Amino acid sequence: MKPLLIVLALIALVLLIIGVAIETLKFLLYVGLVVLVASAALVALQRLRSGARR
């Protein structure tokens, strides 16, 4: 009975770690998208400003 409890505890621990990792990856995905949009906006502004000076 004791080995079964150890196996169940290990499975629960692995599932907990996977759940936290997935939530972290979702957060990082959203942060990456925000950074991508911000950098695209900055590049567009830079091109507009350099085009206006000519």
Side-chain angles (χ1 to χ4, degrees):
M1 187 72 175
K2 196 169 185 177
L4 180 60
L5 290 175
I6 293 172
V7 169
L8 288 176
L10 288 175
I11 291 173
L13 184 63
V14 168
L15 290 175
L16 178 67
I17 291 171
I18 290 173
V20 169
I22 289 173
E23 289 298 319
T24 303
L25 289 176
K26 284 182 185 178
F27 173 73
L28 290 176
L29 178 66
Y30 290 129
V31 169
L33 288 174
V34 168
V35 169
L36 181 66
V37 169
S39 64
L42 290 174
V43 167
L45 284 174
Q46 184 180 10
R47 288 188 180 182
L48 286 173
R49 287 185 180 180
S50 68
R53 290 181 186 168
R54 292 182 182 178

